[in-house]
Amino acid sequence: MQNRKGEDFLKLKDLIENIDAMETNVKDFDKDITDIAYNSKNAKEGCAFVCIKGFKTDGHEYIDEAIKNGARLVVVDEFFDTSKIEGKVDYIKTSNTRKALAVMSANFFGHPSKDFLLIGVTGTNGKTSTTFMIKSILEANSQKVGLIGTIKNMIGSKEIEAQHTTPESYDLQKLFWQMKNEGVDSVVMEVSSHSLELFRVYDCDFDVGVFTNLTQDHLDFHGTMENYFAAKLKLFGMSKKRVVNADDSWGKRIIEMYPDCVTYAKDSDAQVCAKNIKLFVNKNQFEMWYNGKKEEITLNIPGLFSIYNSLAAAACCISLGIELDTIKKGLEDLKAVPGRFEIVESNERFTIVIDYAHTPDGLLNLMKTVDDVAEGRKVLLFGCGGDRDRTKRPIMGEIAGRMADFVIVTSDNPRTEDPLKIIADILEGIRKTNVEYVVIPDRYEAIKYAIKNAKENDFIVLAGKGHETYQILKDRTIPFDERRIVKDILKELRE
């Protein structure tokens, strides 16, 4: 691992520049630090080990293992009893180790985000599609683009597997450094509320922050919608320019705080807007207007929500001075976003769509799109994730009951929760409606049931998994790619 200077180490005094050091036993600040680790298993000879508290473990409990693996310095929080390690290793005590990790990581890799254009996209829904659209527009503008997000990370056309929507700060800075070294001049990334609250993107140099919308999600972590909004809002204090959805009530609050925002909307007055919208099963057509000029756009991703995402992407690129004709080309060059209203080719008399919708608003927008294009029954198969916000489950159940003609309630990623208890929460909402439904906890069997019982012109929606190719159960993670599963079931039923 080489740092910002192309060397295998960085002086400690340079590594800890600008961190909040409350107490230390360090005598020699000119010592060389070879790397940074926040997992004791990754600690190596001469590294700094930063103790961060995760959802399940606390790095302070693994200091001895980090020392054994060669850590030369440990960074601990203000509540840690340093007498436990006095004489064993050098330490620095700080008020927030996650923040310290972010600052140290940026220092180690030389603040690479200052060397390219950095765009952050935040919001409950639409982050992934919007980042893909921005990437396509920037590439139409002859830029080499890096992408960081839920589905995958990319350097140009090269794909890198993504572990989190927004990586931990050290991994993010390392990825930035790699992108810089490979000649990337622009990076567009999804910025989750968790990453903002947990300092993963702290000390990043954002040129543009984009806000898509805010609806209920992650209340298991944030507690209230105001806290959730406050986390999202942090991105806009970190950004030089801001792009905001003027149709969203929370977006209106951001616009009041930052009047210099570039705004976009369908229904409200905004700088970038869509008119004469035509929705089809596999595309959208609309006029995009900005500053008295228009471009007629054919978007290959269906749904009204896709038009909103394209407006967000366009407004972002307009803020960067990119011309409308280039924006049109970039949007029309994008053929699909994995797991976002993705139609599975089946050669059957019915339609099957896979979508990532896993929030109340996401599910509502998805089913509104289906309502616009479906000719027959709207059949919705969905579940809710375990170890996540329970309060949204009955809300999603009620939305399903109001928007679908037939509902199949099943599992999503149950994690450590009992799938039947998750389903029971969903049914509280479904039972407020008159929809016909069936419960099939095994998601494979649920999909098989939907296909086996499909009628002519049915529009079958498999919601919640989208791009994911796995299912997280209590004791293991299993392969679960719904595209492959649908094709296997169709083949089985034809034989």
Side-chain angles (χ1 to χ4, degrees), residues 91-220:
Y91 68 82
I92 294 175
K93 182 178 282 192
T94 182
S95 59
N96 189 310
T97 55
R98 284 187 173 275
K99 188 175 179 180
L101 176 63
V103 173
M104 291 167 65
S105 299
N107 288 340
F108 189 81
F109 291 105
H111 297 270
S113 65
K114 293 181 182 296
D115 295 317
F116 48 66
L117 179 73
L118 180 61
I119 300 164
V121 180
T122 198
T124 306
N125 300 308
K127 295 188 296 295
T128 299
S129 295
T130 302
T131 55
F132 271 78
M133 290 174 179
I134 293 171
K135 181 176 188 288
S136 187
I137 295 169
L138 293 175
E139 288 173 339
N141 199 46
S142 302
Q143 293 172 242
K144 185 172 181 179
V145 186
L147 180 135
I148 301 171
T150 304
I151 297 177
K152 56 189 171 184
N153 300 326
M154 300 181 71
I155 301 178
S157 59
K158 183 171 74 174
E159 296 186 7
I160 305 168
E161 184 180 354
Q163 299 295 329
H164 302 283
T165 297
T166 311
E168 189 56 75
S169 57
Y170 171 83
D171 304 308
L172 179 61
Q173 294 294 339
K174 183 178 179 181
L175 185 55
F176 282 163
W177 176 79
Q178 183 181 354
M179 288 177 169
K180 173 189 169 183
N181 287 348
E182 295 197 26
V184 163
D185 49 38
S186 305
V187 174
V188 55
M189 65 179 291
E190 296 181 47
V191 182
S192 68
S193 58
H194 286 69
S195 72
L196 287 158
E197 198 68 19
L198 298 174
F199 294 93
R200 291 176 187 165
V201 294
Y202 187 82
D203 222 5
C204 292
D205 195 52
F206 286 99
D207 293 280
V208 187
V210 180
F211 175 80
T212 60
N213 50 64
L214 193 76
T215 60
Q216 183 173 333
D217 199 14
H218 305 305
L219 296 192
D220 55 311

Side-chain angles (χ1 to χ4, degrees), residues 9-14 26-33 72:
F9 59 86
L10 190 67
K11 296 293 184 184
L12 175 56
K13 63 183 179 183
D14 296 324
V26 174
K27 299 294 191 294
D28 178 13
F29 288 93
D30 281 318
K31 69 172 66 179
D32 298 330
I33 301 296
R72 184 170 291 175

Side-chain angles (χ1 to χ4, degrees), residues 377-378 397-407 426-438:
R377 291 190 313 163
K378 300 182 289 290
E398 187 170 355
I399 290 169
R402 285 194 288 108
M403 299 299 294
D405 298 310
F406 185 79
V407 178
I426 295 170
L427 293 182
E428 287 180 22
I430 284 188
R431 289 181 181 132
K432 293 180 180 179
T433 72
N434 296 318
V435 75
E436 185 181 355
Y437 69 91
V438 63

